[in-house]
Every structure is written in structure tokens, then in C-alpha cells.
Amino acid sequence: MQLTFPDGKKKTYDAPITPLAIAKAISSSLAKKTVAAFLDDTLYDLNRPIDRDGAIRLITESDDEAFEILNHSSAHLMAQAIKRLYPNAQFGVGPAIEEGFYYDVALDESLKEDDLLKIENQMRKLVKENHEMIRQEVSREAALTFFKDDFYKTTLIEAIPEGDAITLYRQGDFVDLCRGGHIGFTGKIKHFKLLSLAGAYFRGDSSGPMMQRIYGTAWFSKDALDAHLSMLEERKERDHRKLGKELKMFMLNSEVGQGLATWLPNGYAVRKVLEDYVYDQERKAGYLHVSTPVLGTKHLYETSGHWDHYQENMFPPMEKDDETFVLRPMSCPHHMKIFQSDLRSYRDLPLRYAEIVTQHRYEASGALTGLERVRAMTLTDAHIFVRPDQIKEEVINAYELIETAIADLGLEIAYIEFATRDDSKSKFHDNDRLWNLAETILEDVLKDAEIPYKKVPGEAAFYGPKIDFQVKTVLGHMITMSTIQLDFLLPERFDLNYINASGEKERPVVIHRGYISTFERLMSILLEQYKGAFPTWLAPVQAIVIPVNQAVHGEHAKALKQHLIDLGYRVNVDQRDEKLGYKIRDAQTQKIPYQLVIGDQEMAEDQVTYRQYGSSDQHTVSTAEFEALLAADVARKSRPQ
Ligand code: TSB
Ligand code: ZN
């Protein structure tokens, strides 16, 4: 048997050899770090003998694949521990996931957080016992016989395609059905933690039994585990749902309805700044603002094709008198009607209609997440009607407008997704000529403008391909924010025309543009990004005036507050009869950017003593100086100082 190593060297062996033995022969430190191996494209467990020729690549702890192997093995380790503690336990699936692993368990009793510690301790015992994880290939019949009393595993075995190998893994007294890719010995799993419990349907099927899912995570070093755990802590702290509640930004209430967010005064203050920003930037960039209804006739949405291709995301129709209405999931058809409402000449184009659009989409209840994915949303939308020769310039204009906004918001574009169609027929309109045209043009624009992108087939809108701007939140979570979509279909379905230079009718092309997403999604991103401590231009309350002594300085403080409000700032005054220190701490909890303390000197000299959020430094300046400083802070938006 001959193995070829990545450096091209070949070695001959006279007997089957495990990846561990191969590593040991090279060095003992390599053996310690080796996790498994690839023989050509087949993954070999650390202790699975290799008995044929091929290209060998050892996987060590620092390789991308290693984390998955460790975590998959940890799921087995956890199952073994559970089986020891609860001999009647049965198991569904237990895969490695992006940040760890889980296993679905069927138990008579329902587990509590405390039980996780118990299971974890049992796992540590099994690590000490250092069981070898032994792979065994078996026939379908043998597998079914082995698991004959186990509904879950027999169901899983039956789902394995005919002809595929079936393998069992044994570690001590515990045997599991598994495709493999293991670390060979329980003793190699050292740094892990069980994290949480959830309910999960067996194989995700809501008509089947409900199981208990246990999540955990395993790492190769204590430092890596600790770092991950503190990241999880930080993520909890930054969760926009938690922050939104604490800072009284928005409300999600089941009586109002699932996925229907209510903006409270603080949240709306932020949203209004963003609305004004959008309006202003668009006005400067030549957009025309319009306003259209949240309902339309079902017929309007049949004409556009939404009814055929987007119906599952729409709320059901409403009938009244002789008309049938739908709540709009998008505004495009309304904007098509605006274009159609007048005679258009080639000189009128591009025509850029922008609107802050409230729209409704039926999202599955399981998909709803705080403000990030809702059912009623307000989009910073636009539809740009162009001549074919204007497509490129307008896509680039839209791109630049979005790029500026993302920077103004202090966010970063992680990457651009170029979403095209795939062959799933019902999702996309079926005019191949228009599809190919739109995809080619959009891709050419991206290439010409040297905008790097990632192609994702199947993610296009039903009417055309799009480029989606993916933003990465501080926690590493990717989220679609802005979008530019190229559409040849809707102009055709609405029979839109303009008169060209030779007096003939021509078809315009539409660019759909989502500017800074919906306010709901954007708010979720911003809350997490800033941990609720908004930069001054966005903060719901930008400054709070705090009199040292309410009886003496209260009136002056109130007048200063009103003066700053009149200048256009959002300012409060704290007129409670509380100690100064208490009021300052309270302002800090509300994450107000500026605290302005007014005492005798400030009152006499027309000064303020200010302190910024997160700092204990105090500065005494004239009121006029403070105003200039505030103006400069607001003007730079979220860009660094
Ligand atoms: C840009 N017709 C186009 C429009 O002209 C359109 O609606 N495109 S979209 O379907 O991609 O949606 C635009 C943006 O809305 C998305 O990029 C995303 O940022 C945001 N969005 C989509 N669904 C939701 C949702 N359920 N909750 C919150 N925001 C959403
Ligand atoms: Zn649209």
C-alpha cells in the first residue's frame, strides 16, 4: 500500500495504518495535534486503519475541518454520558454545527439547566476513561436488528439511501449510528461546555415527536473555549431584543401580533433621524419622492407576477364589495403605475421614484427574530426607470449612495452577494431571454466597476437578479442590508413605454433599490453594533441637562434644555430631587451621549460642564463652545473622529 503526502513524497506500508500511527511516525507533537485524515476525498477517523493507496492529508487542530470533527465526536461523548445517566434515553440526530454541536434526545423526564452540569461531569469521567471510538461497517439488516427497539434510529436507518454504507461507532458500552469523521478516543476531547436546551421535532417534522435538544461546544484549548464563552456572553448582552427593551426602543407584543413591531418614542426618534437622512441623500441624488397605499387590488399583483411567484409570502386576500385586495409585500407594482400615469420621453429618464414603504410579508413564525425579520416592515425603497444605455451608470450611482450610507452608519460591507436564478421553476419568471440579459448586464457592471462579489444561484428575486450587500454585525452575524435588483420583467408585464429619440416606443428597464434596508432590520443591526450606545447624530436623547441643585439651578437647566431643543437637538432635563451622582449614573444607564451639569459657576458664567457617555472626564466650556462641539459631533455621523 502506498500513500502520497501533500509534499509529493510517497511512502509504502506493508500493513494497514491509522492516521494516528502515520503522525506518530513523523513526530509525537504532530501526533498530539492530529485529529483525523483525508485519503483522497474520504475522511478517516484518527484510529481507522487505511488499507488502500491514495493521497493522504493529515488534519490537525489548526485545520478548518478539525473543529467539526471534534464537535461531532463531542456529540457522541455527550450521548454516551446521557445514556449512562438515563439508561432509557433514545437519540435522534446529533451533528456538529457552526459553533459546536447538539444532540436530540428522547427522555421520559424533561431536562433542566442543572442537569446539563450533571451530564457535563459524566462526560469528564468518560474522557478520563479514554474510550476508543471504533468504527464498524454493518449491513442494513444488522443495523436494524441492533436498533430494533429504537424508533428514532430505525427511522434514520431506513432513510439511508440503498447502497450507501452503514456504519456504527462503539465507545465503551455505547453504540451509535454514524457516518463518522471522529477523533478516535474520548480522551482527546478536553475543553467543552454544554450550553442550552431547546425543543426540536424529530427530523424537523412538526407532525412527528418532539425531542429535547442539548447544545454544546468543544474547543482544542482552554483559551479558545473561554474566548468563545465570553463571546457568547457578549452576544447575549448585545442582543437587540434585550437592548431594545432596556432602552425602551420598541415593543413586540403578542396581542398586537407576532412579528409586528411597535416603535416606542426612543426608537422612533432614531428612526426619524434615519428617515430624514434617507430623504435628504435621495433628494440630492435626484430621486423624486412619492407615497402609495399599503393595499392594492389582487389584480395589480397578478399583473406584476407577485401573485404567481411570491404568494406564499403574502397575507391572504380581502374581499369587500366587488373588489379583492391584498396587503402589499412590495411596492414595485405601485411605482410601475406611477410611471404609466403619464407619457414619458427618453429625456425624462432616469426617473427615480423613492418611497419609505410600509409593506407586509407573511414570514413563518419560526423565522421571526426580534426586529431582524418581521411581518410588517418599512423599507427605504426606490424604483429607478432607465433606458438600457443608462443601466450601468445608475447601478453604480445606487451602489455609491449605499456605500456612503453604510459608512455614515458606522457599518461595514462584509461582501456583496450576486444572486442569480437556478432551475427551480416556480420561484422565477420563465423568460430565459430576459433572465440571461439581466444577469449578464448586472455581472458586467460588477466586473467593470471592480466590485468583488460572491455568486449565489437561486437567491434572485422572481423578477430578476440582484446584488445584496451583506453587513457583518460585531458578533460576526451576516445580514442582508441593502440591495440593487435589475428587472426587465415588470416593465413588460405592465407594458411600460417611453418615446425614444426617433419617436418610437421603447421599453424602460427597472432597478429596484433597497437603500438601508427596512427600519426594523436596520435598527436590529445598529442596536447590536453600538450596544445601544448610539453615536450622537442617532441617539434618541443626545444630551441631558442635570442641575446640581434643583431648587437653585432648576430653572436655568430647563431654559438651557429648551434652547438646545430649539436649535434642533433632542435634549432632556433631569429635574428630580436626587443626588447629582445618582442622576449622572442614571444618564449613563440610558447611554445618553452628553450629560450637562449646571451649578453656580455654570449659571453665572453661561457655561456647561459636560461629560460624555462612557467617560468620567469633565470639561467646563461656554454654552456657545458646547453648541459648536455638539454640531460637529452630529455632522460627522458615525464616522471616526
Ligand atoms: C428593493 N422590491 C424590492 C425593493 O424595490 C424588494 O422588496 N426587495 S427585497 O425583497 O429584497 O427586500 C428589500 C430588503 O428588505 C431586504 O434587502 C432586507 O434588508 C429587508 N427585509 C426583507 N425581508 C424582511 C423582513 N421580514 N423583516 C425585515 N426586513 C426585511
Ligand atoms: Zn421593488
Side-chain angles (χ1 to χ4, degrees):
M1 184 185 63
Q2 192 182 54
L3 299 180
T4 312
F5 285 79
D7 60 4
K9 286 202 185 111
K10 293 181 194 307
K11 256 191 204 164
T12 309
Y13 301 86
D14 15 319
I17 183 162
T18 66
L20 182 60
I22 294 171
K24 260 189 192 147
I26 299 169
S27 77
S28 65
S29 66
L30 181 66
K32 258 195 203 132
K33 278 189 285 185
T34 301
V35 173
F38 270 111
L39 183 70
D40 302 322
D41 290 332
T42 309
L43 186 57
Y44 273 69
D45 307 319
L46 189 62
N47 58 339
R48 174 178 167 193
I50 294 172
D51 54 4
R52 60 180 172 85
D53 295 352
I56 178 100
R57 178 166 73 86
L58 295 177
I59 302 169
T60 66
E61 290 177 3
S62 51
D63 288 321
D64 289 347
E65 301 92 345
F67 183 79
E68 186 180 338
I69 294 165
L70 173 68
N71 277 276
H72 186 187
S73 297
S74 304
H76 280 242
L77 175 67
M78 178 172 81
Q80 185 181 13
I82 293 172
K83 193 82 186 165
R84 271 216 185 154
L85 293 166
Y86 310 90
N88 292 329
Q90 294 193 334
F91 299 91
V93 293
I97 51 177
E98 204 183 332
E99 297 183 347
F101 63 90
Y102 69 76
Y103 219 130
D104 288 345
V105 197
L107 277 181
D108 303 333
E109 59 190 284
S110 67
L111 293 170
K112 288 182 254 7
E113 296 285 327
D114 287 353
D115 298 320
L116 297 187
L117 272 183
K118 213 165 71 184
I119 298 170
E120 226 177 85
N121 288 335
Q122 188 63 45
M123 286 166 77
R124 282 184 221 292
K125 278 191 196 144
L126 296 167
V127 169
K128 277 216 185 91
E129 292 167 19
N130 195 17
H131 297 283
E132 185 171 359
M133 308 170 82
I134 301 161
R135 177 181 191 274
Q136 189 191 359
E137 212 168 303
V138 295
S139 68
R140 185 172 294 260
E141 295 67 43
L144 285 170
T145 312
F146 186 87
F147 286 109
K148 66 179 182 313
D149 298 322
D150 188 329
F151 159 76
Y152 303 97
K153 292 293 170 187
T154 43
T155 311
L156 293 171
I157 293 166
E158 274 154 8
I160 298 175
E162 207 60 55
D164 281 16
I166 296 181
T167 47
L168 302 182
Y169 277 80
R170 175 185 298 279
Q171 52 198 74
D173 50 3
F174 177 72
V175 178
D176 205 347
L177 171 75
C178 180
R179 218 177 297 135
H182 284 300
I183 198 152
F185 304 87
T186 60
K188 293 203 75 140
I189 308 169
K190 293 204 175 80
H191 311 284
F192 56 86
K193 175 117 193 90
L194 301 188
L195 298 168
S196 60
L197 285 160
Y201 288 110
F202 179 48
R203 307 175 80 208
D205 173 5
S206 61
S207 62
M210 175 71 112
M211 308 187 78
Q212 304 186 62
R213 177 169 295 177
I214 308 176
Y215 287 96
T217 189
W219 295 78
F220 287 108
S221 70
K222 184 169 182 313
D223 285 353
L225 174 65
D226 288 348
H228 182 72
L229 295 179
S230 50
M231 193 279 293
L232 290 179
E233 235 2 84
E234 173 80 3
R235 183 184 295 174
K236 242 191 244 161
E237 284 300 304
R238 280 191 190 251
D239 188 318
H240 77 271
R241 289 166 287 195
K242 179 172 182 279
L243 289 167
K245 204 179 219 170
E246 281 168 10
L247 299 169
K248 300 200 170 86
M249 291 281 179
F250 65 91
M251 179 177 95
L252 284 161
N253 173 290
S254 59
E255 196 177 352
V256 173
Q258 273 195 81
L260 306 177
T262 297
W263 292 74
L264 301 173
N266 283 341
Y268 190 71
V270 181
R271 169 168 163 171
K272 182 67 173 62
V273 178
L274 295 164
E275 286 180 4
D276 292 349
Y277 172 84
V278 165
Y279 181 84
D280 226 47
Q281 294 290 97
E282 285 176 340
R283 195 178 53 79
K284 290 184 203 154
Y287 286 74
L288 303 172
H289 290 93
V290 295
S291 178
T292 58
V294 293
L295 295 181
T297 66
K298 178 168 157 240
H299 186 249
L300 178 67
Y301 282 83
E302 280 165 353
T303 304
S304 67
H306 284 82
W307 189 251
D308 277 351
H309 299 287
Y310 203 69
Q311 205 184 121
E312 60 183 41
N313 281 292
M314 292 169 71
F315 282 94
M318 289 165 267
E319 288 181 31
K320 209 68 192 164
D321 302 332
D322 292 335
E323 282 186 296
T324 307
F325 300 95
V326 292
L327 263 175
R328 65 161 166 212
M330 295 188 193
S331 71
C332 345
H334 286 101
H335 290 187
M336 300 298 137
K337 294 310 269 186
I338 296 178
F339 183 90
Q340 212 176 32
S341 67
D342 208 345
L343 202 62
R344 311 290 178 186
S345 132
Y346 68 100
R347 280 191 229 95
D348 300 331
L349 305 185
L351 256 179
R352 310 177 188 93
Y353 293 128
E355 180 174 355
I356 287 182
V357 168
T358 298
Q359 55 192 28
H360 297 83
R361 294 184 184 176
Y362 173 77
E363 302 275 5
S365 53
L368 299 171
T369 9
L371 284 189
E372 185 180 319
R373 189 172 294 278
V374 288
R375 287 177 172 168
M377 64 201 84
T378 302
L379 178 63
T380 48
D381 205 358
H383 294 93
I384 308 167
F385 296 81
V386 297
R387 303 191 303 255
D389 63 293
Q390 295 170 321
I391 295 173
K392 182 173 172 187
E393 194 182 341
E394 278 306 302
V395 169
I396 292 176
N397 285 346
Y399 184 92
E400 287 173 355
L401 198 70
I402 290 170
E403 213 179 17
T404 304
I406 290 178
D408 280 343
L409 290 164
L411 303 170
E412 249 175 68
I413 302 173
Y415 64 96
I416 301 278
E417 236 176 53
F418 173 43
T420 58
R421 71 171 170 168
D422 58 12
D423 46 14
S424 49
K425 287 272 174 281
S426 66
K427 264 172 77 184
F428 307 107
H429 78 78
D430 59 2
N431 187 325
D432 287 342
R433 185 182 63 83
L434 296 187
W435 266 111
N436 295 337
L437 190 63
E439 287 187 2
T440 312
I441 293 179
L442 198 52
E443 189 156 20
D444 281 350
V445 173
L446 287 169
K447 282 185 178 148
D448 269 15
E450 294 181 3
I451 297 167
Y453 61 91
K454 211 192 243 173
K455 200 164 179 167
V456 280
E459 292 298 313
F462 78 83
Y463 43 74
K466 55 179 184 170
I467 53 180
D468 277 345
F469 294 64
Q470 304 294 327
V471 162
K472 189 177 182 174
T473 69
V474 258
L475 301 169
H477 176 49
M478 291 291 176
I479 186 160
T480 301
M481 191 165 133
S482 314
T483 182
I484 299 173
Q485 314 173 344
L486 196 55
D487 176 7
F488 287 80
L489 178 75
L490 266 53
E492 189 150 309
R493 300 198 59 136
F494 281 91
D495 192 21
L496 303 184
N497 301 295
Y498 63 89
I499 306 300
N500 70 14
S502 353
E504 292 149 356
K505 278 186 181 177
E506 260 191 66
R507 191 80 76 222
V509 177
V510 168
I511 299 167
H512 303 241
R513 186 233 51 187
Y515 191 5
I516 47 173
S517 185
T518 54
F519 290 117
E520 287 75 13
R521 179 167 294 185
L522 179 60
M523 187 63 169
S524 78
I525 299 174
L526 293 176
L527 272 168
E528 294 184 5
Q529 176 79 7
Y530 294 114
K531 222 172 168 174
F534 285 96
T536 309
W537 76 295
L538 290 176
V541 177
Q542 297 170 305
I544 184 158
V545 188
I546 307 175
V548 173
N549 180 336
Q550 168 61 19
V552 184
H553 315 112
E555 277 312 304
H556 181 88
K558 211 167 119 188
L560 176 63
K561 170 205 125 172
Q562 192 57 44
H563 170 68
L564 291 171
I565 287 180
D566 291 346
L567 289 176
Y569 298 107
R570 298 179 292 283
V571 186
N572 280 352
V573 60
D574 190 339
Q575 306 223 277
R576 293 175 299 176
D577 269 323
E578 299 283 357
K579 289 239 160 57
L580 183 63
Y582 176 85
K583 293 201 219 181
I584 288 178
R585 272 196 304 283
D586 203 38
Q588 294 274 356
T589 340
Q590 295 173 58
K591 312 197 179 191
I592 299 172
Y594 290 95
Q595 297 136 38
L596 313 179
V597 176
I598 301 297
D600 290 342
Q601 186 197 323
E602 288 83 0
M603 208 163 109
E605 312 273 329
D606 194 14
Q607 291 176 331
V608 300
T609 295
Y610 74 87
R611 204 192 257 248
Q612 277 185 280
Y613 172 74
S615 154
S616 53
D617 294 351
Q618 296 192 42
H619 311 269
T620 304
V621 295
S622 72
T623 309
E625 273 175 88
F626 176 72
E627 285 166 24
L629 184 146
L630 193 56
D633 192 358
V634 168
R636 78 182 163 83
K637 306 205 163 59
S638 312
R639 294 178 185 261
Q641 215 141 18

